[in-house]
Amino acid sequence: MTGLIVVASALLGLAVGSFLNVVIWRVPRHESVVSPPSHCPGCDAEIAPRDNIPVLSWLILRGRCRRCGVHISARYPLVEAGTGALWAMLALRFDDTWALPAYLVLAAGLVALSLIDLDTFLLPNRIVYPLTVVVVALFGVAAIVGDDSAAFVRALIGGGATFAVFLGLHLVSPRGMGFGDVKLSFVLGVALGWVSGPTVFLGMFLAFLLGSVVGILLIVTKVRSRRDHVPFGPFLAAGTMLALLLGDPLLAAVGR
Ligand SMILES: [Zn+2]
């Protein structure tokens, strides 16, 4: 049964990743994510369904448009493969809980938000708010179906506590901690809190650790200067996902 859920999640994740590519491109431009269908950025031709198969089409066409030959960024198949891989790993980790749908939706939202944050330094409300509502609702359903109200209460406390800490950091240093990060922190705390209190701490600790290490590396290698802004959203997403997937062995290792 686990194998079936993992394979189904991986395939569905690939297809969702294809949709996320549309979201990542269009949401910051305030365009509809439903219509029109995808177009080639070079010749503007509509992309045929056979050329829109996640990862495979890009590989078969060697990263070029079938019609005009313009180069298509490797980011498109990477987003698709990454979403498929994340969904497969989450399915493996949470296949025995009703909370799996909430985690899959969260992962998809975080993939889109991370890339949009890298592109624009913004975490759009148009994604953060609906993501928060849907994920909290799915945890609510999981609590009812799985008869686990304790996990739901723990999740809401995790979300509230994380939000409060981030709001405090934002008030102390508005430049260091953007308000977009504050708004996103609630749903991250909810998702981590569903697992356990220590998982909330671990997720945020990993986010700040990754952010600091990569930030220092970027300055040392002179990719960015000390004054440049480095978006924090991707680190929040990475810390959360790492704590969700590897939290139990990591916490066991430090004696929790
Ligand atoms: Zn083209």
Side-chain angles (χ1 to χ4, degrees):
M1 189 61 186
T2 299
L4 191 68
I5 295 175
V6 171
V7 171
S9 299
L11 292 176
L12 206 56
L14 284 170
V16 168
S18 181
F19 173 69
L20 294 179
N21 277 319
V22 177
V23 169
I24 291 161
W25 178 263
R26 293 189 187 177
V27 166
R29 292 169 177 78
H30 296 278
E31 296 171 7
S32 163
V33 295
V34 199
S35 68
S38 299
H39 286 251
C40 165
C43 63
D44 214 32
E46 202 173 296
I47 295 173
R50 64 165 174 171
D51 293 340
N52 216 356
I53 304 162
V55 184
L56 278 183
S57 292
W58 190 89
L59 291 174
I60 291 166
L61 296 170
R62 292 161 187 254
R64 298 196 174 276
C65 167
R66 184 186 290 278
R67 208 160 139 239
C68 70
V70 76
H71 178 69
I72 311 287
S73 167
R75 192 165 112 170
Y76 291 94
L78 286 176
V79 165
E80 290 159 356
T83 308
L86 266 181
W87 277 36
M89 290 187 286
L90 286 167
L92 203 56
R93 165 76 172 84
F94 293 108
D95 73 310
D96 58 345
T97 142
W98 293 103
L100 177 60
Y103 286 117
L104 296 183
V105 171
L106 178 75
L110 291 182
V111 168
L113 286 170
S114 296
L115 286 157
I116 291 173
D117 201 9
L118 285 172
D119 285 347
T120 68
F121 298 103
L122 290 171
L123 296 167
N125 292 338
R126 283 176 70 200
I127 297 177
V128 174
Y129 290 158
L131 179 69
T132 302
V133 170
V134 170
V135 168
V136 171
L138 285 173
F139 277 121
V141 171
I144 294 167
V145 179
D147 194 21
D148 196 351
S149 55
F152 191 57
V153 171
R154 199 168 58 228
L156 292 179
I157 293 172
T162 309
F163 182 84
V165 169
F166 275 65
L167 184 62
L169 291 172
H170 170 74
L171 293 175
V172 173
S173 168
R175 251 184 63 85
M177 179 63 64
F179 198 59
D181 300 319
V182 178
K183 283 182 283 194
L184 178 62
S185 68
F186 177 77
V187 72
L188 303 181
V190 167
L192 293 162
W194 177 276
V195 178
S196 75
T199 308
V200 180
F201 286 100
L202 179 67
M204 293 305 111
F205 170 75
L206 290 173
F208 282 97
L209 181 69
L210 286 171
S212 314
V213 170
V214 173
I216 290 168
L217 282 176
L218 289 176
I219 292 169
V220 170
T221 55
K222 302 215 171 5
V223 176
R224 306 245 174 171
S225 84
R226 200 176 298 264
R227 245 166 310 192
D228 285 333
H229 185 67
V230 176
F232 193 45
F235 299 108
L236 282 173
T240 299
M241 282 298 135
L242 280 173
L244 289 173
L245 292 169
L246 303 173
D248 287 354
L250 281 177
L251 289 169
V254 295
R256 285 305 300 254

